[in-house]
Amino acid sequence: MNAKSIAVYAGTPVDTAMGVCLVERYGMKGRAYPVSENPVQQTQFQNASRDMKEDTMRKLIQKAAGEGCGRMLVYCNSLAGSVDFTKLSEEMRFQIVTPLDTYRGAAGKYHTLGVIAANSNGANGIERTLRGANPDLHVYAASLLDVVMDIEAGMDPEEIVRRHALDSLADWFEKNGCEAMILGCTHFPYFKEALKRRITLPVVDPDDDMIQRLKNIREI
């Protein structure tokens, strides 16, 4: 097992902590690097200039490397979709895993997918990635920032599904030919089991694939 910590980057302290819990559940060490203080601030960051975002991430990567991290997990779909982490990985010679890696692999398995994301930036980044891997794919998408806010506030998962009619949204996806629904925000596994009990549409969660990718890469 690799000894160095995994730098976990995400939009807020809450989803960053979720990412750390994920890697530690699989016996790896995680170190938290939240980019913003809350979902609204993170959405503002994602709408900032490309240069500003890339400069911010360069500094955070340098900090993680200086603090002994050998790999990086971007545990935030909308962040992954708004920054070119492939470019930063090559430029800084730092191994980076994002949810978008999973979506590239999944795109060829489907004809039509539904996507739920934290915001339009996230939905756009996921659709761009999916269609880049499979140009014939049909994508339906919804942005659900209020759901993220309720997760951050600690609302019960069953109440989140009920209040935001997520089962009805899944039914709408299915009626429009979607073969699966992508959890396009790393906050969303929080309510995954509560939602799956109410729907028949398969749910795609990138967590397991990201963990396998982290295990398979060599540290710098």
mmCIF file of all heavy atoms in Angstrom, residues 32-61:
data_model
loop_
_atom_site.group_PDB
_atom_site.id
_atom_site.type_symbol
_atom_site.label_atom_id
_atom_site.label_comp_id
_atom_site.label_asym_id
_atom_site.label_seq_id
_atom_site.Cartn_x
_atom_site.Cartn_y
_atom_site.Cartn_z
ATOM 1 N N ALA A 32 -7.447 16.770 3.616
ATOM 2 C CA ALA A 32 -8.494 17.636 3.063
ATOM 3 C C ALA A 32 -7.960 18.985 2.599
ATOM 4 O O ALA A 32 -7.215 19.646 3.325
ATOM 5 C CB ALA A 32 -9.587 17.846 4.110
ATOM 6 N N TYR A 33 -8.396 19.387 1.382
ATOM 7 C CA TYR A 33 -8.066 20.699 0.834
ATOM 8 C C TYR A 33 -9.324 21.309 0.199
ATOM 9 O O TYR A 33 -9.479 21.287 -1.020
ATOM 10 C CB TYR A 33 -6.954 20.589 -0.217
ATOM 11 C CG TYR A 33 -5.632 20.145 0.345
ATOM 12 C CD1 TYR A 33 -5.300 18.794 0.362
ATOM 13 C CD2 TYR A 33 -4.715 21.058 0.845
ATOM 14 C CE1 TYR A 33 -4.080 18.368 0.887
ATOM 15 C CE2 TYR A 33 -3.497 20.644 1.371
ATOM 16 C CZ TYR A 33 -3.187 19.294 1.389
ATOM 17 O OH TYR A 33 -1.992 18.877 1.901
ATOM 18 N N PRO A 34 -10.247 21.823 1.012
ATOM 19 C CA PRO A 34 -11.436 22.457 0.422
ATOM 20 C C PRO A 34 -11.062 23.730 -0.325
ATOM 21 O O PRO A 34 -10.201 24.498 0.128
ATOM 22 C CB PRO A 34 -12.315 22.760 1.642
ATOM 23 C CG PRO A 34 -11.369 22.811 2.800
ATOM 24 C CD PRO A 34 -10.259 21.865 2.489
ATOM 25 N N VAL A 35 -11.712 23.952 -1.457
ATOM 26 C CA VAL A 35 -11.405 25.116 -2.292
ATOM 27 C C VAL A 35 -12.191 26.341 -1.836
ATOM 28 O O VAL A 35 -11.714 27.470 -1.948
ATOM 29 C CB VAL A 35 -11.688 24.798 -3.773
ATOM 30 C CG1 VAL A 35 -11.458 26.015 -4.660
ATOM 31 C CG2 VAL A 35 -10.791 23.639 -4.230
ATOM 32 N N SER A 36 -13.408 26.120 -1.309
ATOM 33 C CA SER A 36 -14.280 27.225 -0.904
ATOM 34 C C SER A 36 -14.902 26.925 0.455
ATOM 35 O O SER A 36 -14.777 25.812 0.971
ATOM 36 C CB SER A 36 -15.391 27.434 -1.941
ATOM 37 O OG SER A 36 -14.853 27.614 -3.237
ATOM 38 N N GLU A 37 -15.589 27.914 1.005
ATOM 39 C CA GLU A 37 -16.190 27.754 2.329
ATOM 40 C C GLU A 37 -17.607 27.216 2.286
ATOM 41 O O GLU A 37 -18.091 26.652 3.263
ATOM 42 C CB GLU A 37 -16.179 29.095 3.068
ATOM 43 C CG GLU A 37 -14.770 29.614 3.373
ATOM 44 C CD GLU A 37 -14.789 30.939 4.097
ATOM 45 O OE1 GLU A 37 -15.900 31.437 4.395
ATOM 46 O OE2 GLU A 37 -13.702 31.488 4.380
ATOM 47 N N ASN A 38 -18.309 27.380 1.158
ATOM 48 C CA ASN A 38 -19.701 26.945 1.057
ATOM 49 C C ASN A 38 -20.079 26.788 -0.412
ATOM 50 O O ASN A 38 -19.322 27.217 -1.306
ATOM 51 C CB ASN A 38 -20.629 27.940 1.763
ATOM 52 C CG ASN A 38 -20.478 29.351 1.239
ATOM 53 O OD1 ASN A 38 -20.713 29.628 0.066
ATOM 54 N ND2 ASN A 38 -20.052 30.265 2.112
ATOM 55 N N PRO A 39 -21.252 26.173 -0.713
ATOM 56 C CA PRO A 39 -21.629 25.923 -2.106
ATOM 57 C C PRO A 39 -21.769 27.189 -2.946
ATOM 58 O O PRO A 39 -21.444 27.176 -4.145
ATOM 59 C CB PRO A 39 -22.967 25.188 -1.980
ATOM 60 C CG PRO A 39 -22.912 24.522 -0.653
ATOM 61 C CD PRO A 39 -22.176 25.495 0.227
ATOM 62 N N VAL A 40 -22.284 28.267 -2.364
ATOM 63 C CA VAL A 40 -22.435 29.504 -3.132
ATOM 64 C C VAL A 40 -21.075 30.056 -3.537
ATOM 65 O O VAL A 40 -20.850 30.452 -4.693
ATOM 66 C CB VAL A 40 -23.239 30.546 -2.327
ATOM 67 C CG1 VAL A 40 -23.253 31.888 -3.047
ATOM 68 C CG2 VAL A 40 -24.670 30.051 -2.094
ATOM 69 N N GLN A 41 -20.145 30.076 -2.587
ATOM 70 C CA GLN A 41 -18.798 30.560 -2.887
ATOM 71 C C GLN A 41 -18.124 29.668 -3.926
ATOM 72 O O GLN A 41 -17.408 30.160 -4.811
ATOM 73 C CB GLN A 41 -17.961 30.589 -1.604
ATOM 74 C CG GLN A 41 -16.616 31.280 -1.763
ATOM 75 C CD GLN A 41 -15.803 31.243 -0.488
ATOM 76 O OE1 GLN A 41 -14.953 30.360 -0.296
ATOM 77 N NE2 GLN A 41 -16.090 32.177 0.410
ATOM 78 N N GLN A 42 -18.378 28.361 -3.859
ATOM 79 C CA GLN A 42 -17.789 27.460 -4.838
ATOM 80 C C GLN A 42 -18.356 27.705 -6.235
ATOM 81 O O GLN A 42 -17.627 27.685 -7.228
ATOM 82 C CB GLN A 42 -18.017 26.000 -4.432
ATOM 83 C CG GLN A 42 -17.531 24.978 -5.445
ATOM 84 C CD GLN A 42 -16.054 25.056 -5.782
ATOM 85 O OE1 GLN A 42 -15.620 24.479 -6.781
ATOM 86 N NE2 GLN A 42 -15.257 25.744 -4.982
ATOM 87 N N THR A 43 -19.654 27.970 -6.326
ATOM 88 C CA THR A 43 -20.257 28.293 -7.618
ATOM 89 C C THR A 43 -19.643 29.563 -8.191
ATOM 90 O O THR A 43 -19.365 29.660 -9.403
ATOM 91 C CB THR A 43 -21.785 28.445 -7.478
ATOM 92 O OG1 THR A 43 -22.337 27.188 -7.047
ATOM 93 C CG2 THR A 43 -22.429 28.839 -8.800
ATOM 94 N N GLN A 44 -19.393 30.548 -7.343
ATOM 95 C CA GLN A 44 -18.741 31.783 -7.793
ATOM 96 C C GLN A 44 -17.331 31.490 -8.296
ATOM 97 O O GLN A 44 -16.899 32.035 -9.311
ATOM 98 C CB GLN A 44 -18.718 32.796 -6.647
ATOM 99 C CG GLN A 44 -20.085 33.319 -6.261
ATOM 100 C CD GLN A 44 -20.082 34.118 -4.968
ATOM 101 O OE1 GLN A 44 -19.117 34.077 -4.195
ATOM 102 N NE2 GLN A 44 -21.159 34.855 -4.714
ATOM 103 N N PHE A 45 -16.620 30.617 -7.590
ATOM 104 C CA PHE A 45 -15.271 30.243 -8.020
ATOM 105 C C PHE A 45 -15.303 29.601 -9.403
ATOM 106 O O PHE A 45 -14.476 29.908 -10.270
ATOM 107 C CB PHE A 45 -14.651 29.273 -7.013
ATOM 108 C CG PHE A 45 -13.331 28.685 -7.461
ATOM 109 C CD1 PHE A 45 -12.153 29.409 -7.347
ATOM 110 C CD2 PHE A 45 -13.275 27.411 -8.001
ATOM 111 C CE1 PHE A 45 -10.938 28.866 -7.775
ATOM 112 C CE2 PHE A 45 -12.072 26.867 -8.428
ATOM 113 C CZ PHE A 45 -10.900 27.601 -8.308
ATOM 114 N N GLN A 46 -16.266 28.734 -9.619
ATOM 115 C CA GLN A 46 -16.352 28.036 -10.899
ATOM 116 C C GLN A 46 -16.688 28.973 -12.050
ATOM 117 O O GLN A 46 -16.402 28.666 -13.213
ATOM 118 C CB GLN A 46 -17.379 26.909 -10.815
ATOM 119 C CG GLN A 46 -16.930 25.764 -9.918
ATOM 120 C CD GLN A 46 -18.044 24.856 -9.523
ATOM 121 O OE1 GLN A 46 -19.107 24.834 -10.148
ATOM 122 N NE2 GLN A 46 -17.842 24.066 -8.476
ATOM 123 N N ASN A 47 -17.279 30.112 -11.742
ATOM 124 C CA ASN A 47 -17.592 31.100 -12.770
ATOM 125 C C ASN A 47 -16.498 32.156 -12.924
ATOM 126 O O ASN A 47 -16.649 33.091 -13.713
ATOM 127 C CB ASN A 47 -18.926 31.791 -12.457
ATOM 128 C CG ASN A 47 -20.114 30.910 -12.798
ATOM 129 O OD1 ASN A 47 -20.396 30.649 -13.962
ATOM 130 N ND2 ASN A 47 -20.812 30.425 -11.783
ATOM 131 N N ALA A 48 -15.422 32.005 -12.184
ATOM 132 C CA ALA A 48 -14.291 32.931 -12.304
ATOM 133 C C ALA A 48 -13.514 32.644 -13.588
ATOM 134 O O ALA A 48 -13.795 31.682 -14.311
ATOM 135 C CB ALA A 48 -13.384 32.797 -11.081
ATOM 136 N N SER A 49 -12.515 33.461 -13.874
ATOM 137 C CA SER A 49 -11.734 33.285 -15.093
ATOM 138 C C SER A 49 -10.925 31.993 -15.042
ATOM 139 O O SER A 49 -10.563 31.502 -13.959
ATOM 140 C CB SER A 49 -10.776 34.470 -15.285
ATOM 141 O OG SER A 49 -9.731 34.431 -14.329
ATOM 142 N N ARG A 50 -10.618 31.458 -16.212
ATOM 143 C CA ARG A 50 -9.823 30.230 -16.285
ATOM 144 C C ARG A 50 -8.464 30.422 -15.614
ATOM 145 O O ARG A 50 -8.005 29.551 -14.867
ATOM 146 C CB ARG A 50 -9.632 29.826 -17.746
ATOM 147 C CG ARG A 50 -8.826 28.538 -17.936
ATOM 148 C CD ARG A 50 -8.582 28.249 -19.398
ATOM 149 N NE ARG A 50 -7.772 29.303 -20.006
ATOM 150 C CZ ARG A 50 -7.473 29.355 -21.302
ATOM 151 N NH1 ARG A 50 -7.950 28.446 -22.127
ATOM 152 N NH2 ARG A 50 -6.722 30.336 -21.781
ATOM 153 N N ASP A 51 -7.824 31.564 -15.866
ATOM 154 C CA ASP A 51 -6.501 31.803 -15.295
ATOM 155 C C ASP A 51 -6.546 31.827 -13.770
ATOM 156 O O ASP A 51 -5.659 31.280 -13.098
ATOM 157 C CB ASP A 51 -5.921 33.120 -15.815
ATOM 158 C CG ASP A 51 -5.513 33.037 -17.277
ATOM 159 O OD1 ASP A 51 -5.430 31.914 -17.811
ATOM 160 O OD2 ASP A 51 -5.296 34.105 -17.882
ATOM 161 N N MET A 52 -7.578 32.472 -13.227
ATOM 162 C CA MET A 52 -7.694 32.549 -11.770
ATOM 163 C C MET A 52 -7.894 31.156 -11.169
ATOM 164 O O MET A 52 -7.261 30.795 -10.161
ATOM 165 C CB MET A 52 -8.865 33.472 -11.390
ATOM 166 C CG MET A 52 -9.070 33.624 -9.882
ATOM 167 S SD MET A 52 -10.176 32.365 -9.188
ATOM 168 C CE MET A 52 -10.457 33.031 -7.563
ATOM 169 N N LYS A 53 -8.753 30.363 -11.788
ATOM 170 C CA LYS A 53 -9.014 29.020 -11.268
ATOM 171 C C LYS A 53 -7.761 28.151 -11.346
ATOM 172 O O LYS A 53 -7.420 27.443 -10.389
ATOM 173 C CB LYS A 53 -10.170 28.377 -12.039
ATOM 174 C CG LYS A 53 -11.527 29.004 -11.731
ATOM 175 C CD LYS A 53 -12.660 28.301 -12.433
ATOM 176 C CE LYS A 53 -12.642 28.560 -13.927
ATOM 177 N NZ LYS A 53 -13.860 28.061 -14.602
ATOM 178 N N GLU A 54 -7.085 28.208 -12.473
ATOM 179 C CA GLU A 54 -5.893 27.379 -12.630
ATOM 180 C C GLU A 54 -4.788 27.805 -11.666
ATOM 181 O O GLU A 54 -4.100 26.955 -11.092
ATOM 182 C CB GLU A 54 -5.399 27.433 -14.073
ATOM 183 C CG GLU A 54 -6.311 26.701 -15.046
ATOM 184 C CD GLU A 54 -5.762 26.677 -16.454
ATOM 185 O OE1 GLU A 54 -4.707 27.304 -16.709
ATOM 186 O OE2 GLU A 54 -6.381 26.027 -17.324
ATOM 187 N N ASP A 55 -4.628 29.110 -11.462
ATOM 188 C CA ASP A 55 -3.615 29.597 -10.537
ATOM 189 C C ASP A 55 -3.922 29.147 -9.113
ATOM 190 O O ASP A 55 -3.019 28.743 -8.366
ATOM 191 C CB ASP A 55 -3.528 31.126 -10.612
ATOM 192 C CG ASP A 55 -2.385 31.682 -9.772
ATOM 193 O OD1 ASP A 55 -1.235 31.272 -10.003
ATOM 194 O OD2 ASP A 55 -2.650 32.523 -8.892
ATOM 195 N N THR A 56 -5.201 29.203 -8.732
ATOM 196 C CA THR A 56 -5.603 28.741 -7.405
ATOM 197 C C THR A 56 -5.278 27.268 -7.215
ATOM 198 O O THR A 56 -4.720 26.864 -6.181
ATOM 199 C CB THR A 56 -7.109 28.967 -7.189
ATOM 200 O OG1 THR A 56 -7.400 30.371 -7.247
ATOM 201 C CG2 THR A 56 -7.565 28.419 -5.841
ATOM 202 N N MET A 57 -5.601 26.453 -8.227
ATOM 203 C CA MET A 57 -5.361 25.023 -8.104
ATOM 204 C C MET A 57 -3.873 24.697 -8.127
ATOM 205 O O MET A 57 -3.421 23.780 -7.431
ATOM 206 C CB MET A 57 -6.102 24.263 -9.199
ATOM 207 C CG MET A 57 -7.632 24.369 -9.129
ATOM 208 S SD MET A 57 -8.319 24.063 -7.472
ATOM 209 C CE MET A 57 -7.680 22.424 -7.110
ATOM 210 N N ARG A 58 -3.087 25.434 -8.893
ATOM 211 C CA ARG A 58 -1.633 25.206 -8.887
ATOM 212 C C ARG A 58 -1.075 25.389 -7.467
ATOM 213 O O ARG A 58 -0.253 24.595 -6.997
ATOM 214 C CB ARG A 58 -0.940 26.179 -9.841
ATOM 215 C CG ARG A 58 -1.058 25.831 -11.308
ATOM 216 C CD ARG A 58 -0.164 26.725 -12.156
ATOM 217 N NE ARG A 58 -0.439 26.536 -13.572
ATOM 218 C CZ ARG A 58 -1.257 27.315 -14.290
ATOM 219 N NH1 ARG A 58 -1.863 28.357 -13.704
ATOM 220 N NH2 ARG A 58 -1.468 27.063 -15.562
ATOM 221 N N LYS A 59 -1.513 26.455 -6.816
ATOM 222 C CA LYS A 59 -1.015 26.732 -5.465
ATOM 223 C C LYS A 59 -1.439 25.637 -4.491
ATOM 224 O O LYS A 59 -0.653 25.224 -3.620
ATOM 225 C CB LYS A 59 -1.531 28.093 -4.998
ATOM 226 C CG LYS A 59 -0.918 29.274 -5.751
ATOM 227 C CD LYS A 59 -1.544 30.596 -5.328
ATOM 228 C CE LYS A 59 -0.931 31.759 -6.105
ATOM 229 N NZ LYS A 59 -1.574 33.058 -5.778
ATOM 230 N N LEU A 60 -2.666 25.138 -4.641
ATOM 231 C CA LEU A 60 -3.136 24.080 -3.755
ATOM 232 C C LEU A 60 -2.400 22.769 -4.016
ATOM 233 O O LEU A 60 -2.101 22.016 -3.083
ATOM 234 C CB LEU A 60 -4.644 23.892 -3.919
ATOM 235 C CG LEU A 60 -5.517 24.993 -3.306
ATOM 236 C CD1 LEU A 60 -6.977 24.786 -3.680
ATOM 237 C CD2 LEU A 60 -5.361 25.018 -1.784
ATOM 238 N N ILE A 61 -2.109 22.471 -5.278
ATOM 239 C CA ILE A 61 -1.350 21.265 -5.604
ATOM 240 C C ILE A 61 0.061 21.359 -5.038
ATOM 241 O O ILE A 61 0.587 20.394 -4.465
ATOM 242 C CB ILE A 61 -1.328 21.045 -7.132
ATOM 243 C CG1 ILE A 61 -2.736 20.695 -7.648
ATOM 244 C CG2 ILE A 61 -0.345 19.921 -7.504
ATOM 245 C CD1 ILE A 61 -2.864 20.707 -9.157
#
